[in-house]
Amino acid sequence: MTIKTRFAPSPTGYLHIWSLRTVLYNYLYAKQKWWSFMLRVEDTDRTRLVEDSIENMLEILEKFGMTPDEWPNSDLWNWPYVQSERLDIYQKYIKELIEKEQAYYCFCTPERLTNLREEQQSLKIPTKYDQNCRFLTEEETQAKLDAGEKYTVRLKVPKDINIEFIDAIKGKISVPSKDVDDQVLLKTDGFPTYHFAVVVDDYLMKVTDIIRWDEWIPSTPKHVLIYRAFGWEIPRISHIPPLIWANKKKLSKRDWDVAVEQYLEKGYLIEAIINYLALLGWNPKTTEEFFTMSELIERFDLEAVHKSGAFFDVERLDFFNAHYLKNMDILELYEKFKKYLSIYDKEFLEKISNFSPEYNKKILSELNTRIKKFDDLKGLTIYFYWDYTFPEDELILNSKMKLENFDDVEKALNITLEILKNKSWKFESTDEMKAIFIEKIKEAEMKNWQVLWPTRCALSWEKFSPWAFEMIYILWKEESINRIEKYLNSIK
Ligand code: GLU
């Protein structure tokens, strides 16, 4: 059997980071079976439309390497993929349901429905349509239609049956039909409701597998009834577990990123986001944690998706991102970093472009283990890219390190200068540099930190920065000597 999955967003704004997991599971499942993944736009709720949502979502899917095979305006254009362009199709199928006596016209006014709901609420009984129009005779219905009364069309939910379906993840789900409302299928404005359009479209567009968020479980019995009313085969349905914010209390509102775009803006890597999301609710049944997209395609198994919710934890995402940053080839990392800056921080890109690629790559290769994401880099590289600033006295003088006055500092920095100026030392690595420093400091009968602390402060004036050896290794001898001499002059 050929498999076709779909992502069916409503164009109501940005792509939520959690929805990206829905996309991912649909994508992995379809690609594993060498079949197709489609995007359909569900825009029947006209009150919530946000312009350009779909273009933005498609752009993001493309960045993540999950461009659908079929999507609005793609080459593979089989039919309109936007529900508002399919209204005549829904009209045709709604007529069919009415003719089959599986649906009926409802002429109840909004006022009547509001009163009904309020009455039920005051009696503390479930709010439901009271089927007032279900039993109108054909003549009564026709008379109202002829008089031009506004109507909706409702599903005729069968009495006293159990509506059953098998969810590929949750198992058998059974709901008594008395708990299911005579759902509106067609609204007064001629637009279908989600329930009707989703069934008609999934059927006509030959979707074989519906993989969606489990908040849609309560709607599925209604869909099952519509499939049955038409006599259509029901696709395989899988409801994936909900996601829950971890450490919600710990996060301030500002940290509350919901849009995928916000994660990209912070400089999370695509591969890290994909890897992390894939594991949120799916058990790869191994202790391995790191998977590329093609490994995920190969290994993903819908049946191994958990039934219950998973925590979305930004700290876990940081862990995955740090892993990819640390292990990526520096050239690739550099290219990605430049690409990131070209979108999110052009000014910084311009700044680093004034330096040699070798210098920039060296910085990345020293700092890739210290950052969680690209936007951490700016703060950590001030002393590599911006003009020299003298360190504050309070930073460099430190009685605990026996750096009580500037004489102590000067003595220490002169040792560093002597080492740096000695041409016979090549400093092939930070380890080699370290060995030389330790030996010379020992000869001067000083403690390591007594020399290394002021060295690091004179090179990078911030409270936090890489260690002295890393600083020297990146700045290299000439610039390090420059900075230290500048500083020594300033304290004279
Ligand atoms: N339009 C629905 C949504 O945005 C899709 C639900 C479904 O996949 O059936 O959540």
Side-chain angles (χ1 to χ4, degrees), residues 179-405:
D179 293 345
V180 180
D181 209 358
D182 276 5
Q183 193 67 46
V184 172
L185 303 177
L186 193 78
K187 297 182 273 187
T188 41
D189 60 4
F191 274 77
T193 56
Y194 156 71
H195 303 293
F196 188 61
V198 81
V199 171
V200 171
D201 287 348
D202 281 336
Y203 169 74
L204 292 178
M205 296 176 176
K206 301 185 171 50
V207 170
T208 52
D209 272 76
I210 295 173
I211 302 170
R212 68 182 165 206
W213 197 242
D214 76 354
E215 69 171 6
W216 293 105
I217 289 183
S219 305
T220 308
K222 296 166 196 166
H223 303 175
V224 168
L225 287 177
I226 302 172
Y227 278 106
R228 289 208 192 131
F230 280 116
W232 293 339
E233 194 181 324
I234 302 172
R236 198 164 104 118
I237 302 176
S238 311
H239 286 104
I240 58 177
L243 291 176
I244 303 153
W245 293 110
N247 303 326
K248 191 167 183 177
K249 286 201 198 88
K250 260 186 13 199
L251 291 174
S252 72
K253 229 187 164 108
R254 256 196 97 246
D255 296 326
W256 214 234
D257 292 331
V258 292
V260 175
E261 187 59 35
Q262 289 170 294
Y263 289 85
L264 296 178
E265 197 176 328
K266 289 200 161 160
Y268 285 98
L269 295 165
I270 303 280
E271 36 281 80
I273 299 178
I274 289 193
N275 193 157
Y276 176 57
L277 285 178
L279 299 180
L280 277 185
W282 166 61
N283 180 359
K285 299 200 171 129
T286 141
T287 49
E288 272 170 71
E289 290 188 291
F290 303 107
F291 301 99
T292 61
M293 183 66 115
S294 42
E295 285 164 349
L296 288 171
I297 291 174
E298 199 177 300
R299 302 173 77 137
F300 183 69
D301 178 7
L302 251 189
E303 259 126 56
V305 170
H306 300 298
K307 290 186 180 31
S308 55
F311 284 104
F312 184 93
D313 185 349
V314 181
E315 285 172 18
R316 263 314 266 165
L317 175 60
D318 284 348
F319 163 79
F320 276 88
N321 209 56
H323 168 87
Y324 281 93
L325 286 171
K326 197 161 65 194
N327 293 293
M328 195 173 282
D329 169 74
I330 288 299
L331 187 60
E332 191 184 349
L333 190 64
Y334 182 45
E335 291 307 320
K336 282 193 198 265
F337 182 50
K338 284 195 295 181
K339 180 97 195 283
Y340 163 78
L341 292 183
S342 73
I343 303 170
Y344 300 105
D345 196 345
K346 291 202 174 60
E347 212 182 301
F348 193 28
L349 178 64
E350 219 169 280
K351 185 110 212 160
I352 73 164
S353 310
N354 295 327
F355 295 81
S356 72
E358 282 61 42
Y359 182 70
N360 293 333
K361 279 188 274 179
K362 218 165 164 189
I363 293 173
L364 269 184
S365 65
E366 281 304 312
L367 294 186
N368 64 348
T369 51
R370 286 176 172 260
I371 57 168
K372 291 181 182 145
K373 48 201 164 42
F374 281 146
D375 79 345
D376 297 339
L377 266 172
K378 200 170 182 178
L380 278 178
T381 53
I382 290 183
Y383 25 74
F384 294 124
Y385 293 120
W386 270 260
D387 289 342
Y388 187 68
T389 303
F390 295 111
E392 303 275 344
D393 297 348
E394 302 83 69
L395 182 70
I396 210 159
L397 294 177
N398 189 323
S399 57
K400 268 195 238 133
M401 297 196 191
K402 298 217 168 50
L403 292 157
E404 308 273 1
N405 51 50

Side-chain angles (χ1 to χ4, degrees), residues 6-12 19 22 26 40-43 48 83 194 198 202 210-213 215-216 223:
R6 90 307 194 257
F7 175 51
S10 300
T12 54
S19 301
T22 307
N26 274 285
R40 177 179 66 235
V41 182
E42 305 210 322
D43 61 345
R48 295 168 60 224
Q83 289 186 329
Y194 156 71
V198 81
D202 281 336
I210 295 173
I211 302 170
R212 68 182 165 206
W213 197 242
E215 69 171 6
W216 293 105
H223 303 175

Side-chain angles (χ1 to χ4, degrees), residues 362 366 428 430 433 469-476:
K362 218 165 164 189
E366 281 304 312
E428 303 279 353
T430 43
M433 195 193 301
F469 302 129
E470 290 170 343
M471 290 299 305
I472 296 171
Y473 186 69
I474 294 169
L475 296 171
W476 208 235

